[in-house]
Amino acid sequence: MIKRDGNCVSLWQDTVTEFGSADSMTSSTPYDVVIVGGGITGITTAFLLQNAGMNCLVLEAHNLCFGTTGGTTAHINTLLDVPYSTVEKNFSKEKAKLMAESIKEAVNAIHDNVKKYNIDCDFKAASATLFAQDDKQKDELEKISEATNNAGVRNDFVDEISIPISFLKAIKVPGQAKFNPVRYVHALAEQFEKAGGTIMQQCRVLGADENDYVTIETSKGKCIARFLIYATHIPPGVNLLHFRCMPYRSYAMAVTLKNDSYPEDLVYDMYDPYHYYRTQEIDGQKYFIAGGYDHKTAHEDNQEYCFLKLESHIRKHFDIDKIACKWSSQYYESPDGLAYIGQLPGHEKIYVATGYGGNGMPYSHVAALSLKRTICKEENPYQDLYDPNRLKPVAGFSNFVSHNADVVKQFASKFFSGEDLKELAELATNEGKIVKFRDEKLAIFKDENGAVHALSPICTHVGCEVKWNNAEQSWDCPCHGTRYSYDGLLMTGPASKNLAKINVRELVINEE
Ligand SMILES: Cc1cc2nc3c(=O)[nH]c(=O)nc-3n(C[C@H](O)[C@H](O)[C@H](O)COP(=O)(O)OP(=O)(O)OC[C@H]3O[C@@H](n4cnc5c(N)ncnc54)[C@H](O)[C@@H]3O)c2cc1C
C-alpha cells in the first residue's frame, strides 16, 4: 500500500504497489526541467516534457500520489466547481469559452493516454448531472446551464437523475469520465521513465536559487536545471500565491450498496458545500463514492463529525452494505475561480500550477499542456488566461512576511522548564490539543503507548497557529494549509521545516 498525507486510507492507496525510485540524480549536466511533486500534475507535466525531448527529473518528498492525488475522488469533468457563469461574470464570455476549451483538451488528453498506453485504471466515460432542490438553486441552475452552453459545453435539462434524491430541475452534461487516479499516475510515471526521465522519491526540495540556471537544494543534494516547476499543489516558500489560495478540506466515503443500484453518472447537488457522488469499479468490485462537507482547513473543531454527517447523508438516501473506507484531503481555491498556471510571481525560470479547487484531474492536464508549450516555446493559448501574475502585489506584503518570520524565531528560542502540564493527564490516546503553558502555547499529542509529543504550535511557514485534525491525526495550519504529522514531521507544504519539538519527558526528568 502506498502512503498518503493522512491517517485515513483512501480507496486508491491499496490498488497499486510502491513505485521504484532512482537513488541519486543521474545527470552531471543541468537538467532541462526539474519537476517538484509526484502527483497527477507533476507526473503528467514531466511525461509531456520528456516526450518533447527535454531531459527531466521529478523530485517527490514522499512517494508518488502522497498528496491530494492519493485522496481525490477522481471525477474527470468539464462541468467545473466554479460555474462558467461565474467565469463569465468575473472575466468575460470569451474567457469562459477559452477555459472550457482548455478543460476539454485536458479531458481528451487523459482519454488519449489511457488508450495509447493501454492504461489499466478502470477509466470509463460518463455523463455529469447537476440538480437543483429549491427555487433559488433552480434559478442558479438555469444561469449555469446557459453559460455552460455559451462556453461550448453542451448540456440539456432532464427529467430523471440516476440517484434516489428528489429534485426540481436537473441538467445532464455528456463527455465526462472517471478512473482510478493512482493507477493512472503510476502508469504514466512508467511511460515517463521509459522515455528516459528520472524519478527520485523521498527527496524534498528545500529551496531554489535562480540565476543563469536554477540551483535546486534538496534533502539529497543539489542539482541544476534550466527550468523548475512546482507541481506541489501549493508552492513551497512564501509567495504572493499563498495569500491568494485558500486551503479547504473535503470528506469522502466509499461504500458498497445492498441493492446493486450503483449510478453510472457523476452527480452533484447545489448546496454550498455541495455533495458529490459517483461509482468506481476496482478489480470487478463496485464502490459508491460520496463526498462533501468541505470547510476551510483547520476551521472545523471535530473532523470526525464531518464523516458522521457524510455517513448519515449517504444512509438517508442509499442502502449501504459496508463502508469500505473514508478519508479526507485538501485542495486550494483561487479567489477569482481560475487556476494559477505559469511563472511563479517574481520569478523567470520557476513555474507553478495551483488553485485548482476540486477540479485537479482536468486542471493537472491543462497545467501539463500549458507549461510544456511555454517551456518548449510553442504557441500557448492558455498562458494569459491562467497567468499567476494576474495578481497585483498587496501593500505591506513584505512587512507581513518578515514580521511572521520573527514570530517563529522568537518562539523557537524559548526554553520550557518542566512544570507539570495539567492538560497532559487529560489527553486521551491518539488525541492532540493546544494547551497553554506559562503564557506560551504547546501542541501536545498522546500516542498509543502513552508517550506525549509536545511541539511548538507555530507553523514554520509564516507563523500561524496549527490546529489538531482528529480524523487524519495531523496538525493543520489554517492560514496556508501546511500539514504536519502528530509528531511534527512536515507532510505537505508550503512550509519546508518540521514543527519545533519540545521534549516534555526530558524536562520532567530534569526537574526531579
Ligand atoms: C476530497 C477531494 C476530492 C477531490 N475530487 C476531485 C475530483 O473528483 N475531480 C477532480 O478533478 N479533482 C478533485 N479534487 C482535486 C484534485 O484531487 C487535486 O487538485 C489534484 O489531485 C492535485 O494534484 P497535484 O498533483 O497538483 O497535487 P498533489 O497530488 O497534492 O501532489 C503534490 C506532490 O508534491 C509533493 N511535494 C510537496 N512539496 C514538496 C517538496 N518541497 N519537495 C518535493 N515534493 C513535494 C507532495 O508530497 C505531493 O505528492 C479533489 C480534492 C479533494 C481534497
Side-chain angles (χ1 to χ4, degrees):
M1 186 194 297
I2 58 162
K3 292 202 177 73
R4 195 179 71 82
D5 62 355
N7 196 45
C8 303
V9 177
S10 80
L11 185 61
W12 322 113
Q13 280 171 265
D14 212 6
T15 63
V16 286
T17 48
E18 271 184 43
F19 200 86
S21 177
D23 296 332
S24 57
M25 291 144 201
T26 48
S27 184
S28 51
T29 55
Y31 287 94
D32 290 316
V33 191
V34 166
I35 297 103
V36 191
I40 191 164
T41 304
I43 294 301
T44 312
T45 308
F47 162 81
L48 282 189
L49 284 164
Q50 188 73 31
N51 280 301
M54 300 265 164
N55 181 23
C56 299
L57 170 70
V58 173
L59 299 174
E60 164 54 55
H62 301 271
N63 50 263
L64 297 192
C65 301
F66 180 83
T68 303
T69 303
T72 187
T73 52
H75 297 225
I76 304 172
N77 34 15
T78 57
L79 185 68
L80 303 183
D81 285 9
V82 176
Y84 292 102
S85 47
T86 306
V87 180
E88 261 189 17
K89 199 174 80 196
N90 290 352
F91 296 89
S92 64
K93 278 192 176 165
E94 290 66 38
K95 290 211 165 165
K97 219 169 173 182
L98 188 60
M99 178 195 183
E101 276 164 25
S102 73
I103 296 287
K104 277 199 219 165
E105 188 183 1
V107 171
N108 288 339
I110 299 177
H111 190 196
D112 291 349
N113 286 337
V114 171
K115 261 207 329 220
K116 182 166 179 192
Y117 299 103
N118 203 13
I119 297 177
D120 177 13
C121 62
D122 301 301
F123 178 94
K124 216 167 172 188
S127 296
T129 301
L130 180 67
F131 64 94
Q133 291 169 285
D134 60 35
D135 287 337
K136 197 166 159 236
Q137 290 180 2
K138 199 169 129 249
D139 292 347
E140 182 64 22
L141 185 65
E142 280 161 4
K143 285 186 200 136
I144 290 176
S145 168
E146 191 185 339
T148 305
N149 269 325
N150 288 344
V153 178
R154 205 199 89 209
N155 67 92
D156 301 298
F157 285 99
V158 286
D159 296 329
E160 280 181 17
I161 65 173
S162 58
I163 58 170
I165 297 183
S166 57
F167 67 99
L168 284 181
K169 208 158 194 184
I171 56 169
K172 196 162 187 152
V173 192
Q176 323 290 301
K178 50 194 178 178
F179 68 166
N180 178 328
V182 168
R183 281 192 178 163
Y184 175 79
V185 170
H186 274 224
L188 221 53
E190 264 174 36
Q191 294 301 329
F192 166 68
E193 285 189 335
K194 268 190 197 160
T198 308
I199 299 175
M200 268 182 85
Q201 297 175 85
Q202 312 301 335
C203 181
R204 178 172 290 281
V205 168
L206 303 169
D209 253 350
E210 197 179 1
N211 289 303
D212 291 345
Y213 290 96
V214 188
T215 304
I216 300 137
E217 195 192 332
T218 83
S219 54
K220 292 191 174 167
K222 281 189 182 172
C223 63
I224 295 173
R226 286 170 54 218
F227 301 103
L228 174 70
I229 296 175
Y230 282 129
T232 45
H233 210 177
I234 188 82
V238 180
N239 190 276
L240 210 51
L241 285 183
H242 297 113
F243 299 87
R244 290 289 185 271
C245 289
M246 182 56 79
Y248 283 82
R249 180 145 291 270
S250 188
Y251 296 79
M253 206 170 260
V255 303
T256 53
L257 298 176
K258 277 187 187 151
N259 51 13
D260 201 40
S261 56
Y262 292 88
E264 277 308 325
D265 286 0
L266 316 177
V267 188
Y268 314 92
D269 70 20
M270 292 184 67
Y271 289 103
D272 184 16
Y274 66 92
H275 299 95
Y276 44 100
Y277 318 86
R278 79 174 186 89
T279 298
Q280 177 70 46
E281 192 165 329
I282 300 177
D283 300 330
Q285 172 65 56
K286 281 185 181 167
Y287 297 93
F288 176 61
I289 308 170
Y293 299 97
D294 307 17
H295 59 76
K296 283 183 186 165
T297 294
H299 281 68
E300 165 66 53
D301 285 335
N302 186 351
Q303 290 80 2
E304 280 291 356
Y305 182 55
C306 297
F307 281 126
L308 289 177
K309 285 190 286 189
L310 178 58
E311 182 181 339
S312 112
H313 173 80
I314 304 173
R315 286 196 188 279
K316 188 170 159 199
H317 300 286
F318 302 88
D319 207 357
I320 295 182
D321 180 22
K322 281 199 187 99
I323 296 175
C325 49
K326 59 177 191 178
W327 69 96
S328 71
S329 195
Q330 185 162 290
Y331 63 89
Y332 294 86
E333 264 190 8
S334 77
D336 59 17
L338 289 185
Y340 296 119
I341 299 166
Q343 267 174 339
L344 184 67
H347 296 270
E348 245 181 61
K349 303 180 180 82
I350 304 182
Y351 293 83
V352 68
T354 187
Y356 297 164
N359 299 111
M361 301 300 106
Y363 263 138
S364 54
H365 285 62
V366 173
L369 290 159
S370 182
L371 294 176
K372 179 241 166 191
R373 284 172 187 154
T374 299
I375 286 175
C376 293
K377 299 202 179 335
E378 296 166 9
E379 199 187 327
N380 179 5
Y382 314 134
Q383 187 163 317
D384 292 345
L385 181 67
Y386 296 116
D387 186 359
N389 290 286
R390 67 181 183 268
L391 302 173
K392 299 272 175 294
V394 186
F397 171 75
S398 52
N399 284 345
F400 173 84
V401 172
S402 60
H403 168 75
N404 279 289
D406 278 357
V407 174
V408 181
K409 249 194 237 156
Q410 279 169 23
F411 189 94
S413 63
K414 277 245 160 72
F415 176 73
F416 284 87
S417 69
E419 185 179 285
D420 198 15
L421 280 169
K422 262 198 239 133
E423 287 87 347
L424 291 186
E426 288 164 13
L427 269 188
T429 300
N430 287 334
E431 190 191 0
K433 219 188 215 176
I434 303 286
V435 297
K436 206 143 189 220
F437 181 62
R438 290 203 172 161
D439 294 331
E440 297 291 353
K441 285 183 175 172
L442 292 182
I444 56 173
F445 171 80
K446 194 189 268 182
D447 71 21
E448 278 162 355
N449 304 317
V452 173
H453 303 263
L455 306 160
S456 155
I458 303 297
C459 177
T460 58
H461 182 223
V462 290
C464 302
E465 184 179 302
V466 296
K467 267 184 98 175
W468 179 242
N469 177 334
N470 64 357
E472 297 291 357
Q473 304 265 293
S474 59
W475 295 105
D476 298 354
C477 180
C479 294
H480 310 109
T482 295
R483 297 182 51 246
Y484 306 88
S485 63
Y486 69 88
D487 56 352
L489 294 180
L490 177 65
M491 291 200 293
T492 40
S496 54
K497 285 188 188 146
N498 300 332
L499 289 177
K501 280 197 186 203
I502 294 158
N503 196 335
V504 172
R505 202 172 271 169
E506 238 169 52
L507 291 172
V508 173
I509 290 166
N510 283 346
E511 231 188 26
E512 284 171 351

